[in-house]
Amino acid sequence: LGLHPGVRFGATAAAALADLPLDEAEDLLDALVDVHLVDEPEPGGYRLHDLIREYAATLAAGEPAAERRDAVNRLLDFHLHAIAVTGMGAQRQNLIRDLRLGEPLRKDLAAAVTDHVAHVERERPHLAVHGEAGVAAGLPEYAWLLPRAAWRHLFTRGYLADIATLHERAMAVAGEHGDRSAVAMSANSLASAYSRLGRHDDARRTLELCVRLRRELGDEAGMAKAIGNLGVVSVGMGRYADGIEACRESMRICRRLGDDSGIAMRHDLLGNELCPLDRDGLA
């Protein structure tokens, strides 16, 4: 438990860290609660007193580095899979594509999460420290994977400042580790928050970076998505002609890829963008 980066945790997180069956982790937590080494302020929600947590961290630091890294990896992998399943439909496919999501390290723990939306909401305040725990453990990818997995939940619930903070850090860590694909992925998500916050110039600049990187990487599907988003931002800035051209370019790429859902989405965007304009004048 001294390796847990957040203040509060559940039995599933403890089981992931200790690599124990969930029922055994629950029994051990109950025993620790009984002797006042762990607090349970709400059913199934645990925390360590500050001094106990500091002592536990000191004990954990004495464990072999490989074991500490594996424990953090199991924890963050569990959270990643528990958060990622909140996407649906095309959003789900985009998420799997961006995350390159494989099987969870602990399928039993992933299956034990029954309310994924509540899980994301509980972990939202800890996403930044989870990412930093990954960086410290030599697992920097979690600094960009966790924010991307949580993006839909954060965006639909209006946690725009969270999106901005998490993805700015994600871009920085990915850049430090030379992962241009992760920089592009994080830039695309970051632009959504900038746009909603009225930071249109920042959104456009960030998306232009995303498009450039994805073009360099030969990622046409990602490029089509980013160009479509650039179209939306252009319209928000009153640059309607630029927005329409961006949507048309995105549609051309989608047609080349045989992406019917992408074409339909861009048709919808294009129709919305034509609304403020004289259609005959554009013909």
Side-chain angles (χ1 to χ4, degrees):
L1 296 179
L3 292 172
H4 191 272
V7 174
R8 296 200 178 197
F9 54 90
T12 45
L17 281 166
D19 202 18
L20 292 172
L22 180 57
D23 57 353
E24 186 174 342
E26 289 171 335
D27 290 342
L28 287 170
L29 286 169
D30 287 341
L32 290 169
V33 170
D34 288 342
V35 296
H36 308 291
L37 290 175
V38 171
D39 296 329
E40 189 179 10
E42 59 188 31
Y46 304 92
R47 68 183 179 192
L48 298 176
H49 185 279
D50 290 349
L51 292 176
I52 297 294
R53 184 168 62 250
E54 185 176 339
Y55 179 59
T58 300
L59 294 177
E63 297 297 318
E67 292 186 17
R68 296 199 307 270
R69 184 180 187 276
D70 288 347
V72 173
N73 191 31
R74 287 191 301 268
L75 173 71
L76 300 183
D77 179 84
F78 160 68
H79 284 310
L80 179 63
H81 282 85
I83 292 170
V85 298
T86 55
M88 296 184 297
Q91 289 292 337
R92 171 72 174 159
Q93 293 306 312
N94 284 335
L95 188 59
I96 292 173
R97 171 188 172 277
D98 283 350
L99 300 181
R100 300 171 186 167
L101 207 59
E103 292 293 318
L105 295 176
R106 290 288 304 272
K107 292 182 182 180
D108 58 324
L109 297 181
V113 179
T114 55
D115 189 339
H116 295 90
V117 173
H119 182 87
V120 184
E121 190 64 23
R122 280 194 304 272
E123 295 305 319
R124 180 182 66 81
H126 310 305
L127 289 173
V129 292
H130 286 341
E132 294 305 323
V135 173
L139 301 161
E141 62 271 19
Y142 287 109
W144 58 80
L145 294 178
L146 286 168
R148 175 63 184 95
W151 175 83
R152 171 57 58 181
H153 178 90
L154 299 175
F155 188 75
T156 56
R157 298 207 171 194
Y159 296 123
L160 301 176
D162 286 10
I163 293 176
T165 299
L166 289 167
H167 287 85
E168 285 169 352
R169 177 58 177 158
M171 286 182 65
V173 175
E176 290 168 5
H177 288 82
D179 193 325
R180 292 187 297 160
S181 179
V183 173
M185 177 185 73
S186 301
N188 189 69
S189 297
L190 175 58
S192 69
Y194 282 163
S195 180
R196 284 291 181 93
L197 290 167
R199 297 172 57 179
H200 299 301
D201 288 333
D202 289 334
R204 184 175 180 83
R205 171 183 50 79
T206 305
L207 283 170
E208 287 172 345
L209 170 64
C210 178
V211 172
R212 177 173 63 78
L213 289 174
R214 285 183 161 164
R215 182 175 285 116
E216 291 173 358
L217 293 165
D219 179 6
E220 287 198 302
M223 190 167 64
K225 182 168 66 172
I227 292 173
N229 291 338
L230 188 56
V232 175
V233 170
S234 295
V235 169
M237 299 175 73
R239 301 170 63 166
Y240 298 108
D242 289 346
I244 290 168
E245 179 52 37
C247 275
R248 286 174 172 163
E249 183 181 355
S250 179
M251 287 171 63
R252 286 193 290 270
I253 299 172
C254 289
R255 287 195 186 97
R256 188 162 63 244
L257 297 174
D259 180 4
D260 292 337
S261 65
I263 294 170
M265 186 180 297
R266 273 68 185 184
H267 267 298
D268 184 52
L269 290 174
L270 192 57
N272 289 336
E273 291 172 9
L274 283 170
C275 286
L277 301 177
D278 178 359
R279 293 173 62 94
D280 295 334
L282 286 170

